[in-house]
Amino acid sequence: MSINVTVGDKTYFPFVEKVSYEGADSDNPMSYKYYDENRLVGGKTMKDHLRFSVAYWHSFCGTGADPFGVGTKDFPWAVQQNPVALAKERMDAAFEFVSKMGIPFYCFHDVDVVDEATTILESEKRMRTMVDYAKEKQKASGVKLLWGTSNLFSHPRYMNGAATNPDFQVLAHAGARVKDMIDVTIELGGANYVFWGGREGYLSLLNTDMKREIEHLGRFLQIARDYGRKMGFRGDFLIEPKPCEPTKHQYDYDVATVITFLRQYGLEKDFRFNLETNHATLANHTFAHELQTAANAGLFGSIDANRGDEQNGWDTDQFPTNLFELTEAMLVILEAGGFANGGVNFDAKTRRNSTDLEDLFYAHIGGMDTFARALLIAHNILEKSPYKKLRAERYSSYDSGKGKEFEEGRLTLTDLHKIAIESGEPMQKSGKQELFENIINQYIR
Ligand code: XLS
Ligand code: NI
Ligand code: NI
């Protein structure tokens, strides 16, 4: 079967028709070994469990430039000089890729799709053209928008922040861009709208009124939320924590910090979390920790899937391959009820020296297969292993008697004093960590 989703007749990836599930014994590198979109896992297809998404910025815009060198990747869709013509070609390539991969969603920042013009109104006009184009593409391919967002960190005007900029004119500019992207997200049927505050922090506390900046961020998000709801946006607003980079300190440091912030500004009913693996590890947390903290607050939303590097202290955004780490993550996600509006967005880039177009396929195939395996393993652990029972048993002393009375708030400190004297020294109870770890290993098969 030939799929033709490009509006023109150009193809950017002629070397593959369609990436399909062929099973773990296949030697075809352009096939899924584990991701079988229609396979049912606990009554739900893998496709619906994982809701994969491609990140426009890394896959179709990022050419491999780093602080030490220019880009290395010659994208065949990036030859046009005219910004709208270039944007259309890039979108042709994006939809060809996403369709051939059988990935159901994509995500973008405003500037990924089309370059900003010199005025806000001119930028909006360009974006309108591209929204019409994207609508056609979405309809022809069935691919949907997982989330939209505005890039409030790349342009030099945001060097001192966007919503937290000491200059109100910059904040207003950021507001205009967010308003436009909320409109775009609604028009394209986006399931979520993301805020990642890349420059919402500081480089030095000496020149920073932190209290005032955080209040501005709270106010900014409130009026963005109010606008979105007024315009009929029913999806989730997502906030994406990261502790630092490019700032020395980012205000949305980690989940625990952001929960307090959301509650302080009355945002907790409309906002949830978009959690990224490499951001968690930069904050010295595991990914599972961040997921669990969000789930505990009922605020788990979506994830940006990638992995960091054990030795490097920055956001390397590599494609996820660590099965143990992802199994721990999927355990938390499944126990939290899985994704509703959210999904697994690959906020990951191929390495600077991965310069073949095929590499984009291999990278996503690897990430998707690892997630598919982690899903199966975590599902089996929860359904078949003693994992949940073992964990529950550790807390069984609170299920009845005095422990239960404590949980219900019926004991005073004087009561505890009396109970402790009566019962004497508590018996030692093992935490059994190695046994829990062995269960994960046992089910990785
Ligand atoms: C950067 C962030 C960014 C957000 C979207 O570290 O992960 O890519 O996901 O602005
Ligand atoms: Ni991200
Ligand atoms: Ni990131």
Side-chain angles (χ1 to χ4, degrees):
M1 190 190 70
S2 148
I3 50 163
N4 183 11
V5 291
T6 50
V7 166
D9 49 11
K10 227 176 187 164
T11 160
Y12 297 92
F13 311 103
F15 46 83
V16 59
E17 271 293 300
K18 174 98 197 170
V19 179
S20 314
Y21 171 71
E22 293 183 11
D25 294 331
S26 168
D27 287 328
N28 175 9
M30 282 290 173
S31 72
Y32 296 118
K33 313 294 180 295
Y34 295 93
Y35 179 63
D36 180 1
E37 60 174 21
N38 297 317
R39 176 167 175 183
L40 289 174
V41 181
K44 203 162 140 184
T45 63
M46 277 192 165
K47 187 177 178 179
D48 290 342
H49 265 292
L50 295 166
R51 294 168 59 85
F52 285 126
S53 159
V54 174
Y56 216 93
W57 52 104
H58 285 310
S59 292
F60 312 112
C61 307
T63 55
D66 70 13
F68 301 93
V70 296
T72 52
K73 303 175 194 197
D74 287 322
F75 291 145
W77 53 86
V79 286
Q80 297 272 3
Q81 293 301 315
N82 174 297
V84 173
L86 167 73
K88 285 185 175 170
E89 280 220 41
R90 188 164 47 207
M91 192 168 276
D92 288 345
F95 275 82
E96 185 187 342
F97 174 78
V98 179
S99 306
K100 284 185 167 176
M101 288 291 295
I103 292 178
F105 293 98
Y106 73 120
C107 294
F108 65 86
H109 304 81
D110 39 15
V111 298
D112 306 334
V113 162
V114 63
D115 285 346
E116 262 187 66
T118 43
T119 68
I120 291 174
L121 290 178
E122 194 53 37
S123 297
E124 281 177 13
K125 224 171 105 197
R126 278 187 190 175
M127 186 52 103
R128 291 288 118 202
T129 310
M130 291 314 297
V131 166
D132 290 342
Y133 202 65
K135 264 193 194 159
E136 247 182 86
K137 293 272 173 192
Q138 290 187 187
K139 207 168 152 212
S141 63
V143 172
K144 297 195 178 99
L145 183 64
L146 186 66
W147 47 261
T149 187
S150 179
N151 178 326
L152 306 178
F153 44 89
S154 294
H155 194 284
R157 81 172 72 87
Y158 300 126
M159 67 180 183
N160 290 310
T164 60
N165 199 297
D167 180 359
F168 170 69
Q169 289 306 327
V170 179
L171 180 145
H173 208 290
R177 298 292 284 167
V178 168
K179 178 193 170 292
D180 194 38
M181 261 317 281
I182 289 177
D183 290 341
V184 167
T185 302
I186 294 174
E187 207 169 329
L188 292 178
N192 307 275
Y193 187 88
V194 164
F195 287 93
W196 171 62
R199 306 257 177 212
E200 314 294 23
Y202 59 80
L203 296 173
S204 167
L205 202 47
L206 287 174
N207 62 3
T208 303
D209 185 338
M210 180 159 60
K211 183 165 188 281
R212 214 165 171 185
E213 290 197 4
I214 294 176
E215 277 165 6
H216 293 170
L217 183 60
R219 173 77 69 204
F220 188 88
L221 295 180
Q222 285 169 349
I223 61 179
R225 183 259 331 261
D226 294 345
Y227 177 77
R229 292 302 183 221
K230 189 181 90 191
M231 299 307 286
F233 178 62
R234 274 201 272 277
D236 289 319
F237 290 97
L238 300 176
I239 197 158
E240 183 178 322
K242 185 174 181 181
C244 56
E245 198 213 14
T247 53
K248 166 186 166 59
H249 176 93
Q250 187 175 313
Y251 295 135
D252 308 334
Y253 195 91
D254 63 0
V255 173
T257 310
V258 174
I259 287 175
T260 312
F261 168 83
L262 291 177
R263 289 182 180 153
Q264 183 170 349
Y265 292 97
L267 297 164
E268 73 278 13
K269 289 201 175 63
D270 300 276
F271 278 75
R272 285 172 176 271
F273 281 96
N274 184 39
L275 297 173
E276 181 164 322
T277 323
N278 206 164
H279 296 185
T281 49
L282 278 179
N284 273 327
H285 298 307
T286 61
F287 189 35
H289 169 91
E290 288 294 79
L291 292 164
Q292 189 67 63
T293 311
N296 293 348
L299 295 175
F300 170 63
S302 200
I303 68 176
D304 269 3
N306 58 22
R307 77 174 202 276
D309 182 284
E310 298 280 333
Q311 280 78 44
N312 290 345
W314 68 88
D315 199 10
T316 59
D317 286 345
Q318 297 171 81
F319 275 83
T321 53
N322 186 333
L323 194 49
F324 205 100
E325 181 178 55
L326 287 192
T327 301
E328 290 181 297
M330 283 313 301
L331 280 170
V332 181
I333 292 171
L334 288 179
E335 285 204 282
F339 295 105
N341 284 335
V344 178
N345 172 50
F346 288 107
D347 195 348
K349 55 182 175 230
T350 54
R351 299 301 83 193
R352 187 167 187 264
N353 57 353
S354 297
T355 46
D356 292 340
L357 287 176
E358 280 90 341
D359 297 327
L360 198 54
F361 286 82
Y362 299 147
H364 284 86
I365 289 170
M368 290 163 75
D369 270 342
T370 315
F371 262 94
R373 289 187 79 177
L375 166 67
L376 286 169
I377 295 160
H379 174 76
N380 284 337
I381 290 172
L382 293 175
E383 291 295 308
K384 299 178 192 158
S385 84
Y387 170 80
K388 283 210 293 198
K389 199 168 142 254
L390 281 171
R391 194 181 52 193
E393 272 167 10
R394 293 190 73 207
Y395 300 88
S396 59
S397 60
Y398 294 93
D399 292 341
S400 58
K402 293 293 175 198
K404 189 162 192 222
E405 283 179 36
F406 169 77
E407 276 199 349
E408 290 169 353
R410 293 196 277 131
L411 295 188
T412 64
L413 197 60
T414 319
D415 293 331
L416 295 189
H417 181 255
K418 186 163 170 272
I419 294 162
I421 289 171
E422 281 167 9
S423 355
E425 184 59 28
M427 264 172 41
Q428 204 173 45
K429 286 183 189 164
S430 169
K432 297 225 166 326
Q433 179 176 328
E434 296 78 6
L435 177 60
F436 282 83
E437 289 166 348
N438 290 356
I439 291 175
I440 296 199
N441 257 326
Q442 185 190 351
Y443 278 79
I444 293 184
R445 57 187 161 202

